[in-house]
PDB file of all heavy atoms in Angstrom:
ATOM      1  N   ASP W  34    -136.347  -2.945 -22.183  1.00  0.00           N
ATOM      2  CA  ASP W  34    -134.954  -2.566 -22.585  1.00  0.00           C
ATOM      3  C   ASP W  34    -134.347  -2.064 -21.304  1.00  0.00           C
ATOM      4  O   ASP W  34    -134.658  -0.914 -20.839  1.00  0.00           O
ATOM      5  CB  ASP W  34    -135.058  -1.500 -23.704  1.00  0.00           C
ATOM      6  CG  ASP W  34    -133.530  -1.094 -24.170  1.00  0.00           C
ATOM      7  OD1 ASP W  34    -132.677  -1.813 -23.816  1.00  0.00           O
ATOM      8  OD2 ASP W  34    -133.368  -0.069 -24.736  1.00  0.00           O
ATOM      9  N   ILE W  35    -133.515  -2.825 -20.667  1.00  0.00           N
ATOM     10  CA  ILE W  35    -132.934  -2.432 -19.448  1.00  0.00           C
ATOM     11  C   ILE W  35    -131.510  -2.051 -19.528  1.00  0.00           C
ATOM     12  O   ILE W  35    -130.654  -2.767 -20.023  1.00  0.00           O
ATOM     13  CB  ILE W  35    -133.107  -3.584 -18.365  1.00  0.00           C
ATOM     14  CG1 ILE W  35    -134.632  -4.065 -18.261  1.00  0.00           C
ATOM     15  CG2 ILE W  35    -132.546  -3.238 -17.030  1.00  0.00           C
ATOM     16  CD1 ILE W  35    -134.821  -5.133 -17.301  1.00  0.00           C
ATOM     17  N   GLU W  36    -131.079  -0.810 -19.029  1.00  0.00           N
ATOM     18  CA  GLU W  36    -129.714  -0.385 -18.947  1.00  0.00           C
ATOM     19  C   GLU W  36    -129.033  -1.030 -17.775  1.00  0.00           C
ATOM     20  O   GLU W  36    -129.470  -1.001 -16.658  1.00  0.00           O
ATOM     21  CB  GLU W  36    -129.663   1.139 -18.841  1.00  0.00           C
ATOM     22  CG  GLU W  36    -128.264   1.662 -18.771  1.00  0.00           C
ATOM     23  CD  GLU W  36    -128.171   3.209 -18.529  1.00  0.00           C
ATOM     24  OE1 GLU W  36    -129.279   3.797 -18.402  1.00  0.00           O
ATOM     25  OE2 GLU W  36    -127.075   3.658 -18.326  1.00  0.00           O
ATOM     26  N   ILE W  37    -127.869  -1.672 -18.143  1.00  0.00           N
ATOM     27  CA  ILE W  37    -127.123  -2.322 -17.001  1.00  0.00           C
ATOM     28  C   ILE W  37    -125.993  -1.410 -16.571  1.00  0.00           C
ATOM     29  O   ILE W  37    -125.233  -0.937 -17.331  1.00  0.00           O
ATOM     30  CB  ILE W  37    -126.573  -3.710 -17.514  1.00  0.00           C
ATOM     31  CG1 ILE W  37    -127.606  -4.536 -18.151  1.00  0.00           C
ATOM     32  CG2 ILE W  37    -125.811  -4.372 -16.405  1.00  0.00           C
ATOM     33  CD1 ILE W  37    -128.754  -4.952 -17.115  1.00  0.00           C
ATOM     34  N   ARG W  38    -125.965  -1.184 -15.230  1.00  0.00           N
ATOM     35  CA  ARG W  38    -124.919  -0.419 -14.641  1.00  0.00           C
ATOM     36  C   ARG W  38    -124.216  -1.143 -13.605  1.00  0.00           C
ATOM     37  O   ARG W  38    -124.734  -1.592 -12.650  1.00  0.00           O
ATOM     38  CB  ARG W  38    -125.557   0.867 -13.967  1.00  0.00           C
ATOM     39  CG  ARG W  38    -126.323   1.791 -14.904  1.00  0.00           C
ATOM     40  CD  ARG W  38    -127.067   2.903 -14.223  1.00  0.00           C
ATOM     41  NE  ARG W  38    -127.858   3.756 -15.099  1.00  0.00           N
ATOM     42  CZ  ARG W  38    -128.546   4.809 -14.631  1.00  0.00           C
ATOM     43  NH1 ARG W  38    -128.626   5.048 -13.372  1.00  0.00           N
ATOM     44  NH2 ARG W  38    -129.276   5.438 -15.544  1.00  0.00           N
ATOM     45  N   THR W  47    -130.156  -4.679  -8.360  1.00  0.00           N
ATOM     46  CA  THR W  47    -131.243  -3.751  -7.983  1.00  0.00           C
ATOM     47  C   THR W  47    -131.749  -3.097  -9.173  1.00  0.00           C
ATOM     48  O   THR W  47    -131.085  -2.571 -10.097  1.00  0.00           O
ATOM     49  CB  THR W  47    -130.704  -2.626  -6.994  1.00  0.00           C
ATOM     50  OG1 THR W  47    -130.089  -3.193  -5.853  1.00  0.00           O
ATOM     51  CG2 THR W  47    -131.851  -1.678  -6.533  1.00  0.00           C
ATOM     52  N   VAL W  48    -133.080  -3.149  -9.276  1.00  0.00           N
ATOM     53  CA  VAL W  48    -133.856  -2.570 -10.444  1.00  0.00           C
ATOM     54  C   VAL W  48    -134.369  -1.147 -10.049  1.00  0.00           C
ATOM     55  O   VAL W  48    -135.045  -1.004  -8.991  1.00  0.00           O
ATOM     56  CB  VAL W  48    -134.910  -3.498 -10.958  1.00  0.00           C
ATOM     57  CG1 VAL W  48    -135.652  -2.798 -12.150  1.00  0.00           C
ATOM     58  CG2 VAL W  48    -134.376  -4.803 -11.410  1.00  0.00           C
ATOM     59  N   ASN W  49    -134.104  -0.167 -10.905  1.00  0.00           N
ATOM     60  CA  ASN W  49    -134.659   1.147 -10.760  1.00  0.00           C
ATOM     61  C   ASN W  49    -135.544   1.568 -11.925  1.00  0.00           C
ATOM     62  O   ASN W  49    -135.165   1.346 -13.091  1.00  0.00           O
ATOM     63  CB  ASN W  49    -133.542   2.153 -10.606  1.00  0.00           C
ATOM     64  CG  ASN W  49    -132.605   1.867  -9.505  1.00  0.00           C
ATOM     65  OD1 ASN W  49    -132.884   1.676  -8.321  1.00  0.00           O
ATOM     66  ND2 ASN W  49    -131.269   1.721  -9.763  1.00  0.00           N
ATOM     67  N   ILE W  50    -136.625   2.171 -11.615  1.00  0.00           N
ATOM     68  CA  ILE W  50    -137.600   2.700 -12.662  1.00  0.00           C
ATOM     69  C   ILE W  50    -137.673   4.166 -12.616  1.00  0.00           C
ATOM     70  O   ILE W  50    -137.972   4.777 -11.506  1.00  0.00           O
ATOM     71  CB  ILE W  50    -138.986   1.990 -12.497  1.00  0.00           C
ATOM     72  CG1 ILE W  50    -138.826   0.455 -12.547  1.00  0.00           C
ATOM     73  CG2 ILE W  50    -139.929   2.545 -13.624  1.00  0.00           C
ATOM     74  CD1 ILE W  50    -140.166  -0.203 -12.243  1.00  0.00           C
ATOM     75  N   GLU W  51    -137.272   4.855 -13.636  1.00  0.00           N
ATOM     76  CA  GLU W  51    -137.189   6.332 -13.624  1.00  0.00           C
ATOM     77  C   GLU W  51    -138.589   6.825 -13.903  1.00  0.00           C
ATOM     78  O   GLU W  51    -139.513   6.155 -14.407  1.00  0.00           O
ATOM     79  CB  GLU W  51    -136.282   6.777 -14.789  1.00  0.00           C
ATOM     80  CG  GLU W  51    -134.872   6.293 -14.576  1.00  0.00           C
ATOM     81  CD  GLU W  51    -134.217   6.676 -13.266  1.00  0.00           C
ATOM     82  OE1 GLU W  51    -134.578   7.711 -12.732  1.00  0.00           O
ATOM     83  OE2 GLU W  51    -133.347   5.998 -12.858  1.00  0.00           O
ATOM     84  N   SER W  55    -138.259   4.488 -18.028  1.00  0.00           N
ATOM     85  CA  SER W  55    -137.149   3.800 -18.389  1.00  0.00           C
ATOM     86  C   SER W  55    -136.596   3.025 -17.213  1.00  0.00           C
ATOM     87  O   SER W  55    -136.857   3.302 -16.052  1.00  0.00           O
ATOM     88  CB  SER W  55    -136.039   4.725 -18.868  1.00  0.00           C
ATOM     89  OG  SER W  55    -135.672   5.637 -17.918  1.00  0.00           O
ATOM     90  N   VAL W  56    -135.944   1.900 -17.517  1.00  0.00           N
ATOM     91  CA  VAL W  56    -135.505   0.926 -16.466  1.00  0.00           C
ATOM     92  C   VAL W  56    -133.975   0.760 -16.480  1.00  0.00           C
ATOM     93  O   VAL W  56    -133.383   0.595 -17.551  1.00  0.00           O
ATOM     94  CB  VAL W  56    -136.231  -0.431 -16.711  1.00  0.00           C
ATOM     95  CG1 VAL W  56    -135.789  -1.386 -15.529  1.00  0.00           C
ATOM     96  CG2 VAL W  56    -137.664  -0.272 -16.826  1.00  0.00           C
ATOM     97  N   ASN W  57    -133.366   0.762 -15.323  1.00  0.00           N
ATOM     98  CA  ASN W  57    -131.997   0.436 -15.213  1.00  0.00           C
ATOM     99  C   ASN W  57    -131.731  -0.536 -14.119  1.00  0.00           C
ATOM    100  O   ASN W  57    -132.532  -0.578 -13.172  1.00  0.00           O
ATOM    101  CB  ASN W  57    -131.055   1.654 -15.141  1.00  0.00           C
ATOM    102  CG  ASN W  57    -131.403   2.443 -13.879  1.00  0.00           C
ATOM    103  OD1 ASN W  57    -130.988   1.965 -12.824  1.00  0.00           O
ATOM    104  ND2 ASN W  57    -132.061   3.594 -14.021  1.00  0.00           N
ATOM    105  N   ALA W  58    -130.707  -1.350 -14.191  1.00  0.00           N
ATOM    106  CA  ALA W  58    -130.352  -2.274 -13.100  1.00  0.00           C
ATOM    107  C   ALA W  58    -128.898  -2.132 -12.651  1.00  0.00           C
ATOM    108  O   ALA W  58    -127.958  -2.065 -13.491  1.00  0.00           O
ATOM    109  CB  ALA W  58    -130.554  -3.708 -13.632  1.00  0.00           C
ATOM    110  N   MET W  59    -128.738  -1.941 -11.384  1.00  0.00           N
ATOM    111  CA  MET W  59    -127.457  -1.829 -10.747  1.00  0.00           C
ATOM    112  C   MET W  59    -127.033  -3.245 -10.381  1.00  0.00           C
ATOM    113  O   MET W  59    -127.735  -4.004  -9.728  1.00  0.00           O
ATOM    114  CB  MET W  59    -127.476  -0.911  -9.524  1.00  0.00           C
ATOM    115  CG  MET W  59    -127.779   0.488  -9.746  1.00  0.00           C
ATOM    116  SD  MET W  59    -126.450   1.363 -10.667  1.00  0.00           S
ATOM    117  CE  MET W  59    -125.120   1.305  -9.528  1.00  0.00           C
TER     118      MET W  59
END
Side-chain angles (χ1 to χ4, degrees):
D34 183 15
I35 303 177
E36 178 187 355
I37 306 301
R38 302 176 182 176
T47 304
V48 176
N49 302 304
I50 302 171
E51 303 299 335
S55 61
V56 184
N57 62 74
M59 296 292 295

